[in-house]
Amino acid sequence: MKKFTAFTLLALLLSFVDVAVPGEWAERITDVDYLFGESRKEILAEGFYTNGDISSDYLDVNPNVYATFTLYRGNSYAFVIGGANNLNDLRASFYGNNFVDNLFSAEVEKNNYRIFYVTPRYNGTYYLKIQSFGEADADGEFMYYYGFKQGE
């Protein structure tokens, strides 16, 4: 009788556990982690150093996300921007000189990443702008990070 009661109690407790549904939350996390891992291998193979600090977040409908970076003349930088499969395409733009000089501006497809290479002519503050074209499902997840190599 005790075994039956313990089994029934265990089954009852397990019924209250939130089990991940395939294709839901865990998959979205894996998508950004996967994009980071693949892109990191690519820039490391090209001689760029990255400390592995990834910035990722969720986008609301039509937001703009900004990040600032201090870049140094003579170094080369690889900026990686990616979007999970629950996000529509992104537009990534990179500016210098108080948003006057546009160093790159291009779309990044969902469930993919792009690498943008920058070799600044001047030391200074540079600005990354990431714009979403709207959410595909729920919270749209994106990521960005950068690598650098010193001038030779």
Side-chain angles (χ1 to χ4, degrees):
M1 181 73 170
K2 288 183 183 181
K3 288 182 182 179
F4 179 74
T5 305
F7 179 73
T8 305
L9 182 59
L10 180 61
L12 182 62
L13 288 174
L14 288 176
S15 68
F16 290 107
V17 174
D18 185 21
V19 177
V21 175
E24 291 296 323
W25 178 254
E27 183 179 328
R28 286 187 231 155
I29 293 171
T30 303
D31 287 341
V32 171
D33 288 342
Y34 176 78
L35 295 174
F36 170 69
E38 291 301 302
S39 61
R40 185 171 185 266
K41 285 188 265 185
E42 191 173 332
I43 67 170
L44 289 175
E46 293 183 30
F48 287 88
Y49 166 80
T50 183
N51 61 5
D53 287 346
I54 180 175
S55 297
S56 66
D57 207 347
Y58 295 91
L59 297 170
D60 296 325
V61 177
N62 296 319
N64 294 314
V65 175
Y66 296 92
T68 59
F69 300 89
T70 301
L71 303 185
Y72 299 96
R73 181 181 63 153
N75 291 342
S76 296
Y77 298 87
F79 286 88
V80 182
I81 295 99
N85 65 354
N86 61 339
L87 182 69
N88 287 330
D89 293 349
L90 300 170
R91 171 158 299 281
S93 302
F94 198 74
Y95 301 93
N97 193 20
N98 292 320
F99 289 94
V100 174
D101 299 330
N102 186 331
L103 302 175
F104 66 75
S105 185
E107 286 188 25
V108 179
E109 295 175 351
K110 73 177 184 176
N111 205 30
N112 207 349
Y113 65 88
R114 284 193 68 179
I115 302 173
F116 300 94
Y117 298 96
V118 174
T119 303
R121 292 187 298 173
Y122 307 103
N123 296 339
T125 303
Y126 292 80
Y127 308 91
L128 173 65
K129 177 182 176 183
I130 299 174
Q131 178 184 8
S132 170
F133 293 116
E135 296 179 30
D137 291 329
D139 293 326
E141 188 177 16
F142 73 98
M143 65 94 176
Y144 68 89
Y145 71 99
Y146 74 99
F148 72 94
K149 60 181 170 181
Q150 293 182 328
E152 299 164 1

